[in-house]
Amino acid sequence: MAQHNLGLCHAGGEGLLQNFSEAARYYRLVADQGFPSSQFHLGEMLIRATPVDERVPTDPRAGAKLLSRVVQCEGAEHEPLRLKALELLRKHADQGEVVAACCIGCGAHHRRMTKCSKCHTARFCSSECIKRMWPTHKQSCQRWQAEQAATDSPSNYLNE
């Protein structure tokens, strides 16, 4: 818990110079022990498209996995954090690395998940999640299909 609090102080510049690299280091120490709040804060730093600091590189897949662990936490005391983590996962659901790491419907991280039959990028853990998320996923799905079609186009091979 003390290491988590040090991470918060470094991230917020409270009593210390703001240092996201040190914050990430302390968060990782506690996140590896299964502390949901540290998993959330580290996941939030890693999932970004642009880094919070050049010394803290983004890693959307790792961030999504950490956030999916938070989403899977049980107990009423974790509910506000679970909802924030799920909101972040959904906010970044258009990033291929994020949707490849966990179910975009509920944030679950399982070995066996179903890929979207259209874009083959997004993953879902159940038919309920597919139905619930289709209206949201539809735009990203169409964009990924178009990108895939453009990279598979025969004209791309002729230009090489």
Side-chain angles (χ1 to χ4, degrees), residues 3 45 52 74 87 109:
Q3 291 169 329
M45 289 174 122
V52 292
E74 295 180 4
E87 181 182 326
H109 178 72

Side-chain angles (χ1 to χ4, degrees), residues 63-111:
K65 284 184 179 181
L66 285 165
L67 292 171
S68 75
R69 288 183 194 157
V70 175
V71 169
Q72 300 306 307
C73 288
E74 295 180 4
E77 70 275 10
H78 298 301
E79 192 62 22
L81 205 55
R82 286 180 67 249
L83 294 174
K84 282 180 168 179
L86 191 55
E87 181 182 326
L88 263 178
L89 285 170
R90 288 184 178 153
K91 178 181 174 187
H92 293 278
D94 64 334
Q95 295 177 5
E97 298 90 353
V98 172
V99 296
C102 59
C103 173
I104 65 169
C106 68
H109 178 72
H110 302 289
R111 288 195 179 271

Side-chain angles (χ1 to χ4, degrees), residues 6-116:
L6 278 170
L8 289 174
C9 290
H10 277 291
E14 298 173 24
L16 301 164
L17 289 176
Q18 191 173 41
N19 185 331
F20 290 108
S21 177
E22 281 297 299
R25 186 173 73 84
Y26 283 113
Y27 288 149
R28 186 170 307 282
L29 288 170
V30 187
D32 289 345
Q33 297 172 25
F35 191 64
S37 191
S38 289
Q39 291 172 336
F40 174 79
H41 288 292
L42 183 58
E44 183 180 34
M45 289 174 122
L46 295 175
I47 202 168
R48 296 170 173 266
T50 55
V52 292
D53 183 302
E54 66 274 355
R55 294 168 295 182
V56 183
T58 63
D59 186 347
R61 182 179 285 253
K65 284 184 179 181
L66 285 165
L67 292 171
S68 75
R69 288 183 194 157
V70 175
V71 169
Q72 300 306 307
C73 288
E74 295 180 4
E77 70 275 10
H78 298 301
E79 192 62 22
L81 205 55
R82 286 180 67 249
L83 294 174
K84 282 180 168 179
L86 191 55
E87 181 182 326
L88 263 178
L89 285 170
R90 288 184 178 153
K91 178 181 174 187
H92 293 278
D94 64 334
Q95 295 177 5
E97 298 90 353
V98 172
V99 296
C102 59
C103 173
I104 65 169
C106 68
H109 178 72
H110 302 289
R111 288 195 179 271
R112 290 194 166 278
M113 289 195 288
T114 304
K115 285 185 183 181
C116 173

